[in-house]
């Protein structure tokens, strides 16, 4: 696309993604080394993942199961037969000088994922998802820390061989915010499947292709249909080194503006690879890399083909977030917002259903979505970190449901003390004297207040209605403030007039 | 097979992918040698086609941890190391 004079309003952004997801297995994809992050470099390595001569890869069944689960979740085809290839390139993050990956026969093909962007439903096509091994990690040392100026390179192969799923979408995104919504949904799905740990550093890495084409090339209002010729004609940039939803939105917004500015000024957009520099908030041009034919893909003869299409029926996957959101609204009468909050992770949703099964679903929603998640969020704690204490939280909801404690005390005193001081709910209620006073005790206090204050009683009987407030105050004092003032008022009137 | 089987440009390209720096004399020498090597492969045309004996599929292992190498052994063959890392030249 050269010297285009179109106005910005006539241009459309087209984005496609390659998302690399680390699969949460115990061991690497082709050897039995642990995938747990280690403090020591080259701690979880063996002849296979170091690429020593003669070492043979053996596929991890757990990684294949995870891939099949992902395939089911995105409604993809799992072909009868799928196989591995070697992708050759020369860089020290690959000790073998090739990466074992999948080429023309990936394990998942033609899937979809539905997302909601600003209240509107969109279906994103997923062209393929394939298994491969993660490379090792490099540190460029000296010379100011930049890659180009570094004096030498340190290599750690702990990460080498961690199973990765590369998920490739069609160019279906029209804005950086759609990309962000997709990544959030994808991450939720992967967490529900139990194949992904978002907390792990580098567990999600994104490459994005972005090009700007004239709006006239979009056929009709179905944004999925774009003229492929126009897409081919427009130069695209591949933005690498994105590692979060937020980062993706920022990097692509930057790149979108950069390309539109170039076009408006009549300059050509170079077809190139650019590196997202998170700290500076810009993309920078990277040296051009190999073309596809330079990777010299060929079949990995050390790994026999896989025939696992039947696994799709054998491996069960849990109810996915979108379905669960809808069910929560229908079954528990929740608002869309509450249902979204309560299905944000599987742990939260499971806990909500546990609580809602025993108590009022609305009360459960308030407690889990607002009170618990609110207090956890404030403390920057994940629900998974207090998994062992969820029974105690449930007990607290029970105390509120049984009217043994006011909602305000439960939230502001008991819950906070449980989280901050590790106390048990009943312990806080008892020691801090928060229990709502029993009816007998209130009635006793009412009788006492009447007996002890004949003057006020006389005033009331003579028509001074304000005198009742004095008596309410006396009862509240006797019950240590734990009685309900409205109830006390009624009890007093009944007693005085009865 | 004639010498045209491999061009000097192809040799330069392959050398580039392998990050090997060749001077002009070396390019000439490798162009000849590449051609010779490819010629040897033609011998394989004389081998009769045979089927593989077994059709292996689904060779997998359970997701169970096996002992890794001791750091000393892992780094033992490396010409240079630093603080448990393999050390190499700048690779921008």
């Amino acid at each position: 696309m050269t010297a285009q004079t179109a106005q910005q309003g006539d241009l459309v952004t087209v984005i496609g993604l390659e998302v690399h997801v680390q699969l949460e297995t115990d061991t690497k994809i082709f050897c039995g080394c642990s995938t747990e992050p280690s403090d020591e470099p080259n701690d979880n390595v063996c002849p296979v993942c170091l690429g020593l001569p003669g070492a043979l890869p053996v596929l991890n069944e757990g990684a294949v199961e995870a891939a099949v689960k992902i395939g089911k979740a995105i409604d993809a085809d799992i072909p009868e037969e799928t196989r591995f290839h070697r992708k050759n390139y020369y860089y020290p993050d690959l000790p073998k000088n090739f990466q074992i990956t999948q080429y023309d026969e990936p394990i998942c093909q033609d899937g979809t994922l539905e997302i909601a962007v600003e209240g509107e439903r969109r279906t994103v096509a997923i062209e393929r998802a394939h298994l491969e091994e993660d490379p090792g990690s490099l540190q460029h040392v000296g010379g100011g820390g930049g890659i180009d100026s570094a004096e030498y390179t340190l290599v750690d192969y702990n990460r080498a061989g961690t199973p990765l799923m590369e998920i490739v979408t069609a160019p279906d995104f029209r804005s950086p915010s759609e990309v962000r919504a997709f990544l959030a949904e994808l991450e939720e799905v992967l967490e529900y499947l139990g194949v992904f740990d978002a907390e792990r550093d580098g567990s999600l890495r994104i490459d994005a292709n972005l090009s700007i084409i004239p709006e006239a090339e979009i056929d009709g209002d179905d944004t999925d249909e774009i003229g492929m010729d126009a897409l081919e004609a427009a130069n695209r940039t591949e933005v690498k080194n994105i590692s979060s939803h937020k980062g993706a939105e920022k990097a692509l917004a930057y790149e979108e503006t950069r390309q539109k500015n170039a076009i408006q000024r009549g300059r050509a957009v170079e077809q190139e690879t650019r590196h997202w520099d998170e700290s500076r908030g810009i993309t920078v041009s990277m040296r051009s890399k190999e073309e596809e034919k330079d990777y010299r893909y060929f079949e990995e003869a050390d790994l026999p083909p896989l025939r696992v299409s039947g696994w799709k029926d054998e491996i069960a996957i849990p109810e996915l977030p979108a379905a669960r959101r809808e069910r929560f609204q229908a079954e528990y009468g929740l608002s869309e917002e509450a249902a979204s909050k309560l299905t944000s992770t599987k742990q939260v949703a499971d806990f909500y259903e546990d609580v809602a099964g025993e108590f009022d679903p609305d009360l459960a929603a308030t407690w889990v979505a607002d009170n618990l998640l609110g207090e956890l969020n404030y403390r920057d704690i994940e629900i998974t970190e207090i998994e062992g204490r969820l029974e105690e939280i449930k007990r607290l909801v029970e105390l509120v449901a049984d009217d043994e404690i006011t909602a305000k005390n439960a939230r502001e005193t008991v819950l906070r003390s449980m989280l901050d001081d590790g106390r048990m709910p009943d312990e806080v209620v008892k020691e801090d004297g928060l229990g709502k006073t029993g009816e007998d005790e209130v009635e006793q206090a009412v009788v006492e207040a009447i007996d002890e204050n004949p003057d006020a009683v006389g005033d009331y009987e003579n028509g001074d209605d304000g005198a009742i407030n004095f008596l309410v105050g006396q009862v509240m004092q006797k019950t240590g403030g734990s009685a309900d003032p409205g109830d006390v008022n009624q009890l007093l009137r009944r007693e005085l007039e009865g | 097979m004639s010498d045209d089987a491999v061009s000097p440009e192809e040799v330069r390209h392959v050398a580039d992918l392998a990050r090997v720096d060749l001077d002009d004399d070396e390019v000439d020498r490798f162009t000849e040698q590449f051609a010779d090597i490819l010629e040897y492969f033609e011998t394989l045309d004389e081998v009769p086609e045979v089927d593989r004996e077994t059709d292996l599929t689904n060779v997998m292992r359970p997701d169970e941890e096996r002992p890794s190498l001791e750091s000393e052994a892992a780094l033992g063959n490396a010409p240079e190391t630093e603080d448990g890392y393999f050390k190499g030249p700048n690779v921008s």
Side-chain angles (χ1 to χ4, degrees):
Chain A
M1 189 183 297
T2 51
Q4 200 172 45
T5 52
Q7 294 298 303
Q8 274 206 8
D10 298 326
L11 299 173
V12 175
T13 304
V14 179
I15 305 168
L17 299 179
E18 288 169 20
V19 186
H20 297 83
V21 175
Q22 273 186 352
L23 299 177
E24 201 189 359
T25 52
D26 291 336
T27 64
K28 293 184 178 181
I29 185 166
F30 299 123
C31 62
C33 289
S34 169
T35 52
E36 273 301 305
S38 170
D39 294 334
E40 298 294 321
N42 298 303
D43 201 22
N44 295 326
V45 292
C46 74
V48 174
C49 56
L50 284 176
L52 298 187
L56 288 173
V58 185
L59 185 58
N60 180 350
E61 194 176 44
V64 180
E65 278 173 11
V68 171
K69 284 183 185 171
I70 292 173
K72 272 185 92 161
I74 60 172
D75 200 20
D77 296 334
I78 303 211
E80 212 35 56
E81 188 165 287
T82 164
R83 66 179 69 235
F84 290 89
H85 274 72
R86 295 183 177 185
K87 178 182 181 178
N88 295 277
Y89 68 93
Y90 191 73
Y91 203 62
D93 61 355
L94 289 177
K96 300 187 293 292
N97 285 342
F98 61 84
Q99 179 191 34
I100 303 178
T101 179
Q102 296 194 288
Y103 185 48
D104 51 359
E105 292 175 274
I107 189 161
C108 301
Q109 294 175 22
D110 296 328
T112 56
L113 188 68
E114 204 172 89
I115 56 168
V117 191
E118 285 150 23
E120 210 178 298
R121 292 217 177 280
R122 287 280 316 276
T123 301
V124 175
I126 292 168
E127 289 179 347
R128 55 180 286 158
H130 69 249
L131 281 167
E132 62 184 27
E133 56 180 340
D134 210 348
S137 24
L138 304 184
Q139 278 179 41
H140 307 279
V141 185
I147 294 183
D148 288 324
S149 56
E151 283 163 30
Y152 58 94
T153 309
L154 295 180
V155 192
D156 173 13
Y157 290 118
N158 280 341
R159 202 184 65 183
T162 301
L164 286 185
M165 194 81 177
E166 179 176 331
I167 299 166
V168 182
T169 77
D172 280 354
F173 303 98
R174 296 294 167 264
S175 71
S177 60
E178 285 183 10
V179 169
R180 184 175 176 174
F182 172 83
L183 292 171
E185 182 71 31
L186 179 65
E187 204 173 284
E188 266 183 30
V189 168
L190 294 170
E191 282 206 299
Y192 265 63
L193 295 174
V195 300
F196 173 70
D197 177 8
E199 295 297 303
R200 194 188 278 179
D201 213 23
S203 57
L204 185 77
R205 302 194 299 272
I206 303 131
D207 299 341
N209 283 296
L210 185 148
S211 34
I212 308 277
I213 64 169
E215 193 178 19
E217 297 296 337
I218 304 269
D219 297 340
D221 47 30
D222 185 350
T223 46
D224 288 350
E225 299 298 321
I226 34 170
M228 281 299 156
D229 293 347
L231 200 56
E232 285 298 313
N235 274 346
R236 64 172 184 276
T237 52
E238 183 177 11
V239 184
K240 288 183 166 285
N241 193 41
I242 303 171
S243 57
S244 67
H245 319 162
K246 239 189 254 173
E249 192 174 18
K250 276 197 269 180
L252 293 171
Y254 176 88
E255 189 55 24
E256 185 181 39
T257 309
R258 194 189 66 83
Q259 287 196 22
K260 280 187 175 170
N261 285 346
I263 291 167
Q264 278 205 316
R265 289 172 196 161
R267 286 207 310 261
V269 173
E270 297 283 333
Q271 176 125 347
E272 61 180 350
T273 303
R274 297 180 71 86
H275 179 94
W276 167 240
D277 187 331
E278 178 103 47
S279 59
R280 289 198 285 163
I282 59 170
T283 64
V284 287
S285 182
M286 282 170 79
R287 206 164 292 186
S288 72
K289 42 178 247 172
E290 281 92 343
E291 288 175 52
E292 175 160 302
K293 68 176 168 57
D294 292 334
Y295 289 129
R296 291 154 289 149
Y297 282 98
F298 61 87
E299 233 176 82
E300 171 53 276
D302 290 340
L303 291 165
L306 269 183
R307 300 179 73 91
V308 291
S309 61
W311 288 21
K312 220 177 158 178
D313 301 321
E314 290 160 27
I315 297 176
I317 60 168
E319 186 183 24
L320 296 173
R324 208 166 190 185
R325 266 194 298 276
E326 272 172 37
R327 182 169 62 79
F328 274 20
Q329 292 176 54
E331 191 173 330
Y332 300 111
L334 299 177
S335 69
E336 197 179 335
E337 194 197 344
S340 275
K341 262 194 196 171
L342 288 169
T343 52
S344 59
T345 74
K346 189 169 180 296
Q347 285 77 14
V348 170
D350 286 347
F351 182 55
Y352 170 71
E353 293 220 76
D354 187 15
V355 179
E358 287 181 43
F359 311 107
D360 173 50
D362 277 335
L363 179 74
T366 304
W367 267 88
V368 179
D370 300 335
N371 299 351
L372 179 60
L373 290 184
E375 296 293 333
L376 289 179
N377 195 29
Y378 179 71
R379 288 163 180 76
D380 207 13
I381 301 176
E382 295 291 326
I383 194 166
T384 45
E385 294 172 54
I386 57 152
E387 217 156 8
R389 303 195 61 203
L390 291 177
E391 278 305 312
E392 294 167 38
I393 306 282
K394 226 169 104 184
R395 168 66 187 150
L396 177 58
V397 178
E398 186 179 19
L399 289 171
V400 178
D402 290 352
D403 226 12
E404 287 184 39
I405 173 173
T406 64
K408 189 169 185 282
N409 279 339
R411 187 180 66 240
E412 291 176 7
T413 310
V414 185
L415 179 57
R416 289 177 189 172
S417 180
M418 286 170 71
L419 295 175
D420 292 336
D421 311 320
R423 296 165 81 195
M424 305 278 277
D426 286 286
E427 177 193 332
V428 185
V429 172
K430 200 170 157 218
E431 288 174 7
D432 294 12
L434 299 173
K436 262 197 189 171
T437 312
E439 268 174 52
D440 290 352
E441 216 178 309
V442 179
E443 270 168 31
Q444 175 70 31
V446 165
V447 172
E448 278 176 26
I450 290 171
D451 285 349
E452 289 165 15
N453 299 286
D455 290 351
V457 172
D459 289 346
Y460 176 78
E461 281 168 348
N462 290 328
D464 178 5
D465 203 58
I468 198 91
N469 292 334
F470 173 78
L471 291 169
V472 171
Q474 293 298 304
V475 175
M476 293 306 288
Q477 212 169 15
K478 284 176 188 296
T479 57
S482 63
D484 183 282
D487 291 350
V488 172
N489 190 308
Q490 275 182 1
L491 275 174
L492 278 167
R493 286 178 198 275
R494 204 186 315 150
E495 194 68 28
L496 291 167
E497 279 154 34
Chain B
M1 191 180 272
S2 73
D3 283 357
D4 295 330
V6 181
S7 71
E9 286 68 40
E10 280 171 313
V11 171
R12 282 204 177 84
H13 182 60
V14 171
D16 211 38
L17 291 177
R19 313 287 190 265
V20 177
D21 195 15
L22 298 183
D23 61 34
D24 289 350
D25 286 350
E26 285 168 323
V27 170
D28 288 346
R29 191 144 41 95
F30 278 108
T31 306
E32 254 172 63
Q33 288 183 356
F34 273 28
D36 287 347
I37 290 164
L38 288 174
E39 208 177 305
Y40 295 139
F41 276 92
E42 285 182 357
T43 314
L44 289 174
D45 292 344
E46 291 161 28
V47 178
E49 270 187 44
V50 285
D51 283 333
R52 260 187 297 181
E53 259 186 49
T54 51
D55 275 322
L56 280 177
T57 52
N58 293 0
V59 179
M60 285 176 262
R61 59 176 179 84
D63 184 18
E64 285 162 14
E65 211 178 310
R66 303 264 301 268
S68 296
L69 287 176
E70 295 296 325
S71 173
E72 219 167 280
L75 298 167
N77 291 321
E80 262 195 288
T81 61
E82 186 177 302
D83 299 334
Y85 291 90
F86 293 91
K87 185 177 174 182
N90 170 24
V91 288
S92 68

